[in-house]
Amino acid sequence: MGITLTPTPADSHGETLTAHRRRVFTGRDAELRRLRELLLSDRQGCCVVWLHGMAGIGKSTLLRRFADEAAAYDRTARTVDMRGTDPTPQAFLAALEAQGPPEDAQLLLVDSGELLGPLEQWLRDEFLPRLPSHILLVVAGRHPPSAEWRTDTQWWHALRGMELGGMDDAEAALLLRNRDVAEAAVPDIVRAAHGLPLALALFADRWERAAEVVEPRRGWELRDSPDLVREVLYLLLRESPSPAQFDALAVLALARVTTEELVRHVLGVSVAEARVLCAWLRGLSFVRSTAEGLVPHGLVRDALLADLRWRDLEQYERLFHRLHAHLAERLAQRTGGRWGFGAGLAYLGRTDRIARDAADWHGADRLRLRAARPEDLDEVLAAIEKEHGVAAGDLARQWWDQQPGAFTVAEEDGRGITGALVAPRLAARATGLPDDPVAHAALEHAAARSPLRRTERLLLGRWSTGSAAAASFALTTLWATTPGLAVSWTCTARDQRALSSLLDLYGQQRTAPVDGPDGELVFPYVQDWRSAPFDRWAAAMRDRLLTDEPSALPPPVAEAEEPSMPWPEFADAVKHAYRSAPDPSRLAESPLLGTRLVAPGADAAALREVLTETVTQMRSQFGQRQLGDILEITYLSGGPRSQQAAASRARLSFGTYRRRLSSALTKAAELLWERERYGPVPR
């Protein structure tokens, strides 16, 4: 059925409601201006405007406001709402003619255009060509005009598509103030609504009714109101999904981006079923298709997650576990798309209350990571200078000259580069590094506690700019995919509290602050990945995130215990212990008996057994057998033996034997150091 915009008495309810609608209407200035220009000026052949956007975005409100403007300019409007009109030519024409002859109007408005169905072709091919040229048709629907409109040459100049997006924060806040919402409530409602006018109206109404009973509390989230969640989903979905579709919606809500691969693995369905479900998701008005996959509107994401947790917590946990495990496995494979998998894994962390409170995840699903290019350098350095100081920018340029591959940037749709991470990889005896005191401190810290092997690397997360969410995406990716990663050192500045909170959640260990260049104070977070590789860390994080109560579980990776003595002293003690092995009385004086290599109160026999196990471990390793044989021959088989005799038995020249013996003792010390820190199970 339709309505007519003919003059009404000044004291009528209609006039009062129209005046109120004009008073509270907010934003949409650009859209109204374009519509007004088309109505009042030469349209240069344009006769159809197709206004489209997701449910609740304000299409109907904008149509009513435009009808009010048309009346103010003495333009007659006719309106047909397809929610109350059968999609047949007869019903459509009857709705128009009930308001007067259609040809007498200057403006025809069709609301809920997504319900036109077969009537859309009739409008295009029969109805519109017969309309007088002075009439402008505006269709508002959830979907853009079909391909037939866009590919038919006669409609190229006659059709204007106009996508209606969400309100920005300022417009949303003004809308709430126009509704007399208390100022203290505005920020929480704006944040929860994600720019959706329908949600703003619903939340404002709920807040106003709550205020009549009790003073509304701050920090409100959509998940706090189950009835409101159901109302939002009912209005946005406008259908009852099947169980399989509900599961697909849950994956859509959990994942940063959703693909057929993800649906197939998480739901355990066939390729064909995954394709059908993703096609259905793609057709929903609140789902956006991107190069990476499908992304839902932020409000829908929040509502779907809250609804699933209330309806079936067990299913929520099951889907979360499968999704997290699949992303972690794909990331650890170091195949193509690693940045996407790393971002997806880190994005799941936003479900934790600590992560939600610490960082702003709004819009994080729009971030894309990639390696920095030479043309990005000036912009990245400027951002580092702005957030970390001029000296940091100068030093970052030196790191670029040394390791351009250490620079990662985050881009956001329509905004370009919004963040960066500088994370060089350091070897134990690297030369030619920039004169960076933080890098030297990181290497010294590792050398004192657990020296890097020749093939191992320390990942120095030196600077990050932009959002903490983007930094977490990049760091998670690098922790999983950096070859030979042994230790990560992630630096934060004093004002990077969000990133610090996320690193705490991830189980990274705080260590003493370090002085950077030009008075910069750096707060490092350290992780020894040799104590628990990435797959174990990811599995522990799954449990931690699902509890949503981090205090109830230990950190994802426990810090390796501090050694009983510094590395240089420990290595020297190992050498003396092997030399003392043939003499139990001398071995009983070894300081290694006070370490975790042996049980408290153990004697020399227990220590000798540990030394023997280490030699056996060396002999079983590829390329280390000869070193183990040398230690066996020299110290553990038979009685005391001179080095000349040991060299002869090993069938080596004396000079070669001496060099190999030194290497063997160093290798044994490294293996025992690992055992001291991480326990007796060989890795």
Side-chain angles (χ1 to χ4, degrees):
M1 58 184 297
I3 61 171
T4 179
L5 293 176
T6 55
T8 55
D11 59 350
S12 70
H13 289 305
E15 191 66 25
T16 302
L17 291 172
T18 299
H20 179 71
R21 184 166 63 238
R22 289 174 178 172
R23 182 179 70 83
V24 300
F25 185 86
T26 306
R28 307 306 188 195
D29 294 333
E31 291 85 354
L32 276 173
R33 182 170 56 253
R34 290 176 62 189
L35 289 170
R36 189 184 306 121
E37 290 172 351
L38 288 170
L39 178 65
L40 301 179
S41 62
D42 180 7
R43 296 191 291 273
Q44 298 180 346
C46 173
C47 62
V48 180
V49 176
W50 201 285
L51 184 69
H52 61 94
M54 65 173 285
I57 205 67
K59 302 181 296 295
S60 298
T61 302
L62 180 57
L63 280 190
R64 288 193 293 268
R65 183 68 178 86
F66 185 41
D68 292 341
E69 286 216 358
Y73 286 102
D74 294 324
R75 300 301 197 272
T76 301
R78 303 277 190 264
T79 301
V80 178
D81 190 340
M82 295 307 301
R83 285 173 294 185
T85 306
D86 291 335
T88 64
Q90 295 79 10
F92 186 88
L93 291 172
L96 276 180
E97 291 168 355
Q99 304 169 62
E103 59 273 11
D104 291 348
Q106 287 78 41
L107 179 63
L108 298 183
L109 305 174
V110 178
D111 201 1
S112 301
E114 69 276 4
L115 300 178
L116 283 167
L119 197 61
E120 184 177 335
Q121 181 179 355
W122 174 80
L123 280 177
R124 183 179 62 250
D125 297 339
E126 298 186 38
F127 178 73
L128 287 172
R130 295 201 301 267
L131 282 181
S133 60
H134 67 272
I135 295 180
L136 176 66
L137 172 69
V138 180
V139 180
R142 296 187 178 188
H143 306 292
S146 63
E148 287 78 9
W149 290 93
R150 304 193 304 271
T151 57
D152 190 330
T153 54
Q154 70 177 342
W155 289 107
W156 284 357
H157 299 292
L159 177 71
R160 296 285 187 276
M162 188 184 302
E163 183 175 7
L164 197 60
M167 289 182 163
D168 61 31
D169 288 353
E171 290 175 332
L174 180 58
L175 184 150
L176 294 173
R177 294 184 183 107
N178 286 342
R179 287 195 51 150
D180 300 322
V181 173
E183 191 65 32
V186 168
D188 286 331
I189 297 180
V190 168
R191 182 177 180 82
H194 291 269
L196 201 66
L198 172 67
L200 288 165
L202 290 174
F203 297 169
D205 176 69
R206 174 59 60 93
W207 202 282
E208 290 163 356
R209 286 189 282 117
E212 296 174 1
V213 180
V214 64
E215 181 68 22
R217 64 179 179 83
R218 303 192 68 171
W220 173 82
E221 298 181 26
L222 179 59
R223 60 193 289 170
D224 298 329
S225 303
D227 293 341
L228 195 54
V229 167
R230 284 193 291 269
E231 190 173 5
V232 167
L233 290 179
Y234 173 78
L235 291 171
L236 296 182
L237 284 172
R238 198 186 279 177
E239 63 177 294
S240 297
S242 68
Q245 290 171 338
F246 257 125
D247 286 344
L249 285 170
V251 176
L252 180 79
L254 277 168
R256 186 181 70 94
V257 295
T258 298
T259 62
E260 288 185 16
E261 174 198 329
L262 217 56
V263 170
R264 188 171 71 251
H265 283 275
V266 176
L267 299 185
V269 298
S270 67
V271 172
E273 290 175 294
R275 183 168 296 121
V276 170
L277 288 172
C278 283
W280 176 76
L281 291 175
R282 190 178 294 109
L284 298 174
S285 66
F286 51 76
V287 174
R288 179 170 51 93
S289 294
T290 72
E292 290 186 286
L294 304 178
V295 178
H297 186 271
L299 172 70
V300 179
R301 188 191 289 279
D302 293 346
L304 286 170
L305 283 181
D307 180 66
L308 178 61
R309 292 182 69 129
W310 287 322
R311 283 191 300 104
D312 194 342
L313 182 59
E314 183 179 358
Q315 175 70 343
Y316 167 83
E317 293 176 347
R318 184 183 303 115
L319 294 177
F320 183 99
H321 191 280
R322 289 179 181 175
L323 177 58
H324 195 284
H326 175 69
L327 291 172
E329 180 182 0
R330 294 289 277 121
L331 181 58
Q333 290 172 356
R334 302 180 185 177
T335 55
R338 64 169 184 149
W339 294 114
F341 291 124
L345 193 64
Y347 188 74
L348 277 174
R350 82 197 186 286
T351 58
D352 180 87
R353 186 170 295 277
I354 288 179
R356 291 200 306 274
D357 293 342
D360 184 4
W361 299 93
H362 282 59
D365 51 11
R366 296 175 179 268
L367 294 174
R368 307 288 181 268
L369 301 183
R370 62 170 175 81
R373 307 183 186 112
E375 59 266 27
D376 303 324
L377 181 58
D378 290 343
E379 187 174 352
V380 170
L381 294 179
I384 292 174
E385 285 189 9
K386 180 178 179 180
E387 295 192 29
H388 299 278
V390 175
D394 293 339
L395 189 54
R397 181 176 288 276
Q398 296 178 44
W399 277 114
W400 173 271
D401 295 336
Q402 180 73 218
Q403 284 192 43
F407 287 64
T408 302
V409 298
E411 294 179 316
E412 185 174 346
D413 297 345
R415 293 182 55 192
I417 295 176
T418 58
L421 174 71
V422 181
R425 298 185 296 273
L426 309 180
R429 299 175 181 84
T431 59
L433 297 178
D435 187 16
D436 187 343
V438 176
H440 297 312
L443 288 171
E444 291 171 4
H445 183 276
R449 288 162 176 78
S450 186
L452 300 175
R453 298 176 182 177
R454 182 176 57 84
T455 59
E456 292 179 336
R457 295 294 179 268
L458 183 149
L459 181 71
L460 177 64
R462 186 62 179 88
W463 297 283
S464 63
T465 68
S467 71
S472 73
F473 290 1
L475 288 167
T476 301
T477 305
L478 293 175
W479 291 338
T481 61
T482 298
L485 177 63
V487 178
S488 60
W489 244 63
T490 306
C491 303
T492 64
R494 190 183 300 276
D495 58 352
Q496 289 183 304
R497 295 183 179 86
L499 180 57
S500 296
S501 295
L502 291 180
L503 293 171
D504 281 330
L505 176 66
Y506 297 160
Q508 312 294 291
Q509 303 298 319
R510 301 189 190 199
T511 191
V514 177
D515 289 327
D518 198 23
E520 173 196 12
L521 193 60
V522 174
F523 299 86
Y525 286 76
V526 182
Q527 177 71 52
D528 192 322
W529 294 96
R530 294 167 295 190
S531 63
F534 183 82
D535 58 345
R536 285 176 53 195
W537 175 85
M541 274 300 299
R542 280 197 291 277
D543 296 336
R544 190 170 174 84
L545 293 173
L546 280 172
T547 65
D548 205 21
E549 298 178 10
S551 60
L553 288 175
V557 175
E559 182 183 17
E561 295 188 62
E562 286 297 317
S564 304
M565 63 182 76
W567 162 250
E569 294 180 19
F570 184 89
D572 192 54
V574 170
K575 295 175 183 178
H576 282 291
Y578 273 104
R579 293 167 185 158
S580 303
D583 184 351
S585 61
R586 289 179 57 198
L587 189 59
E589 298 175 357
S590 172
L592 295 180
L593 287 170
T595 68
R596 287 181 291 273
L597 293 176
V598 295
D603 57 13
L607 180 56
R608 181 185 171 89
E609 183 178 352
V610 171
L611 299 178
T612 302
E613 289 175 359
T614 303
V615 169
T616 302
Q617 182 182 352
M618 291 173 63
R619 297 175 72 181
S620 68
Q621 293 180 351
F622 178 78
Q624 306 296 330
R625 181 177 181 83
Q626 187 184 59
L627 298 183
D629 289 343
I630 289 174
L631 290 180
E632 173 74 22
I633 292 169
T634 305
Y635 301 121
L636 300 179
S637 62
R641 180 180 286 111
S642 68
Q643 291 191 352
Q644 289 84 355
S648 176
R649 185 174 175 184
R651 299 180 181 180
L652 296 171
S653 68
F654 188 65
T656 300
Y657 164 82
R658 291 287 300 272
R659 291 191 297 273
R660 301 279 171 84
L661 177 61
S662 177
S663 298
L665 289 169
T666 299
K667 179 62 179 178
E670 291 175 353
L671 293 175
L672 286 166
W673 181 259
E674 291 185 8
R675 182 166 178 162
E676 158 77 351
R677 299 202 73 200
Y678 310 123
V681 179
R683 295 191 309 281

